[in-house]
């Protein structure tokens, strides 16, 4: 399985072939607490890097989720509508948010790797 | 408004919160636990099922001593304070001259004195207001060296009664002095969750030992301000600064029940003219419960529309773990305030269908 890359907004992205899967990090879900609702983008939407395209709501607060790179939304995770708690229980697996197609591999590679993200989280704490 | 942690005040339980893994956040100038490792959802549900311990020591406590204290306090509140019997507590509103709500508070008759609990965010202003209203011979004594701990939930009273059996005999809004595990405590059967339970004032220096004794009782779990907020919202209880403030009147806020019967013949409290006029002709807007359809919460300050026109604003909103759905409160124009009235909530620019719903969202389970 391809390695994860990370943004400063606490999204992760995993590029496999031409499709990139995006979610929020374990650190992000832990900070948010129990997720109760997600607002996901529709398939076919063209998104720019850094564009707010999803919202995650915990008991306490709402947070935006941004596109880590530009692309077109291929699919959103329909399972989250029924079970948004997957974001807490398996943030980098079943708790994925959406998939992007047509992404630039170089843009993904330019994001933080796991060690860099861990250092970023540590420095922000 | 970046407040540095060093500027925040701490309660006597601060080190216990950290030991228990509490996530500390700024609230009303204090570092307070918003949640513990269990999380807001689990803490909320545990309170509804068993017993939840809350540190609410940031709230203001004070006592009024001297002849005429109750009568003088009635100048500031439409609550019936003079009619409050020894051993009884009452919820009331402090009023502005213009008929807005200066704060909401608890007042109890402890026999030889009145005992007051006010909001953390308002305590300086409240105590100044009250002190200025007292005649010669009545003394307002702030009690900054006392902690306040709430134990809430269906098992709360049975649990604490193992340490002080007399507590079980208190009825809702009853109050008395008890010795609990060697700590002199003032215990009232009241709370802010909609559940049965008690609020306990203890000396600050004994607070940690006392809290540990409660946490050792079966069924008791530490619970943070996050669950306190979702519990009170489901119970339809107002948060000062969100749901009520100096611009809202008791009539608009649907808190007319806090006005004593005798007080409605005397009209001798601050702001009585506005209250009287609104009772006669109806308030233009009213606080109501709101149930958004689906799962998406609508938060405070969400615009409320009906047929495309703005008719109000959400003042508290979130997800209700016991309701298992989104719940909110807000003010709407009176003609849209009837239960079942369809509304749209403008969440991130998109209309979210909702209806006016009766409060509370979760039934109160007080020990009447």
């Amino acid at each position: 399985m391809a390695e994860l890359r990370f943004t400063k907004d606490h999204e992760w992205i995993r590029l496999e072939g031409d499709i990139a899967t995006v979610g929020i990090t374990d650190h992000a879900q832990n900070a948010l607490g129990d997720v109760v609702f997600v607002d996901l983008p529709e398939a076919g939407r063209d998104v720019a890097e850094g564009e707010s395209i999803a919202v995650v709501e915990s008991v306490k607060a709402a947070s935006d989720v941004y596109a880590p790179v530009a692309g077109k939304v291929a699919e959103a995770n329909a399972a989250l509508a029924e079970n948004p708690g997957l974001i807490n229980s398996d943030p980098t697996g079943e708790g994925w948010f959406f998939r992007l197609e047509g992404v630039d591999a170089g843009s993904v590679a330019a994001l933080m790797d796991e060690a860099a993200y861990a250092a970023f989280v540590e420095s922000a704490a | 408004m970046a407040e540095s942690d060093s500027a925040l005040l701490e309660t006597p339980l601060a080190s216990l919160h950290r030991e228990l893994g509490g996530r500390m956040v700024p609230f009303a100038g204090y570092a307070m636990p918003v949640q513990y490792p269990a999380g807001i959802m689990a803490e909320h549900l545990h309170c509804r099922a068993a017993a939840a311990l809350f540190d609410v020591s940031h709230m203001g406590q004070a006592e009024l001593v001297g002849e005429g204290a109750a009568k003088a306090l009635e100048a500031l509140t439409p609550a019936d304070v003079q009619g409050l019997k020894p051993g009884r507590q009452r919820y009331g509103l402090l009023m502005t001259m213009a008929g807005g709500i200066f704060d909401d508070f608890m007042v109890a008759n402890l026999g030889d004195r009145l005992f007051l609990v006010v909001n953390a965010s308002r305590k300086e202003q409240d105590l100044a207001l009250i002190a200025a209203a007292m005649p010669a011979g009545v003394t307002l004594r702030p009690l900054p060296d006392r902690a306040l701990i709430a134990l809430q939930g269906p098992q709360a009273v049975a649990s604490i009664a193992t340490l002080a059996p007399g507590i079980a005999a208190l009825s809702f809004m009853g109050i008395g002095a008890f010795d609990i595990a060697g700590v002199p405590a003032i215990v009232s059967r009241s709370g802010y969750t909609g559940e049965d339970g008690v609020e306990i004032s203890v000396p600050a220096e004994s607070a940690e030992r006392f809290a540990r004794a409660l946490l050792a009782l079966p069924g008791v779990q530490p619970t943070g301000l996050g669950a306190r907020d979702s519990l009170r919202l489901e119970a339809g209880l107002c948060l000062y600064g969100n749901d009520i403030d100096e611009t809202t009147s008791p009539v608009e806020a649907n808190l007319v029940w806090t006005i004593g019967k005798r007080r409605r013949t005397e009209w001798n409290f601050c702001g009585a003219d506005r209250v009287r006029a609104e009772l006669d002709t109806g308030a233009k807007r009213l606080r109501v419960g709101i149930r958004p359809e689906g799962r998406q919460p609508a938060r405070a300050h969400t615009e409320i529309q009906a047929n495309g026109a703005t008719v109000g604003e959400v003042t508290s909103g979130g997800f209700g773990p016991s309701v298992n759905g989104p719940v909110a409160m807000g003010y709407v124009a009176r003609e849209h305030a009837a239960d079942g009235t369809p509304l749209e909530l403008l969440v991130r620019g998109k209309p979210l269908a909702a209806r006016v719903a009766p409060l509370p969202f979760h039934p109160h389970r007080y020990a009447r």
Side-chain angles (χ1 to χ4, degrees), chain B residues 89-275:
Chain B
Q89 178 174 251
R90 187 162 278 163
Y91 172 78
L93 304 173
L94 295 172
M95 300 291 293
T96 71
M97 291 303 289
I101 301 173
F102 195 82
D103 198 8
D104 59 346
F105 75 123
M106 288 286 205
V107 53
N109 183 346
L110 295 182
D112 58 347
R113 63 199 192 276
L114 295 177
F115 176 63
L116 309 176
V117 179
V118 303
N119 281 301
S121 60
R122 300 291 284 177
K123 60 185 171 187
E124 277 79 24
Q125 295 97 312
D126 288 352
L127 296 184
L129 181 82
I130 294 167
M134 291 301 130
V138 176
T139 308
L140 174 70
R141 279 207 295 255
L143 300 169
D145 53 357
R146 291 188 77 87
L148 193 65
I149 292 167
L151 190 66
Q152 300 280 298
Q155 292 176 19
V157 169
S159 280
I160 195 170
T162 61
L163 303 177
I167 292 173
L170 290 174
S171 62
F172 182 61
M173 290 296 210
I175 189 168
F178 295 86
D179 182 285
I180 307 171
V183 177
I186 298 166
V187 181
S188 69
R189 197 152 188 177
S190 55
Y192 193 47
T193 61
E195 298 297 324
D196 186 16
V198 288
E199 294 171 298
I200 311 144
S201 171
V202 293
E205 69 268 19
S206 310
E208 185 176 324
R209 182 164 61 88
F210 180 75
R212 286 182 192 279
L214 295 187
L215 287 167
L217 296 171
V220 178
Q221 290 292 326
T223 308
L225 291 187
R228 183 169 160 83
D229 190 53
S230 56
L231 288 158
R232 70 91 195 166
L233 176 56
E234 283 187 341
L237 302 173
C238 291
L239 173 62
Y240 192 86
N242 276 44
D243 309 302
I244 49 177
D245 59 29
E246 293 193 17
T247 70
T248 59
S249 77
V251 183
E252 291 176 332
N254 205 5
L255 295 171
V256 173
W257 62 271
T258 69
I259 306 176
K261 196 174 171 188
R262 169 176 54 85
R263 309 306 310 281
R264 288 189 225 189
T265 63
E266 299 170 342
W267 303 109
N268 58 353
F269 54 88
C270 262
D273 290 349
R274 176 177 173 186
V275 173

Side-chain angles (χ1 to χ4, degrees), chain A residues 30-31 33-34 36-37 39 55 57-62, chain B residues 23 34 39-41 226 229 295-297 299 319 348 350:
Chain A
N30 186 49
D34 303 300
V36 295
F37 178 81
D39 191 11
V55 176
E57 302 246 14
S58 68
V59 177
K60 195 72 188 141
Chain B
R23 185 177 294 168
V34 66
I40 295 173
M41 188 88 81
D229 190 53
R295 303 281 295 176
Q296 183 170 18
R299 310 284 176 179
F319 190 85
R348 292 182 286 277
K350 283 185 269 183

Side-chain angles (χ1 to χ4, degrees), chain B residues 43-60:
Chain B
E43 291 169 21
H44 175 117
L45 295 172
H46 185 83
C47 180
R48 296 260 186 256
L53 182 140
F54 302 85
D55 178 15
V56 287
S57 301
H58 57 314
M59 298 188 77

Side-chain angles (χ1 to χ4, degrees), chain A residues 45-71:
Chain A
R45 175 172 161 190
D46 286 309
V47 298
E49 179 181 327
E51 188 177 338
S52 169
I53 61 168
V55 176
V56 55
E57 302 246 14
S58 68
V59 177
K60 195 72 188 141
S63 301
D64 288 312
V65 178
Y66 304 94
V69 294

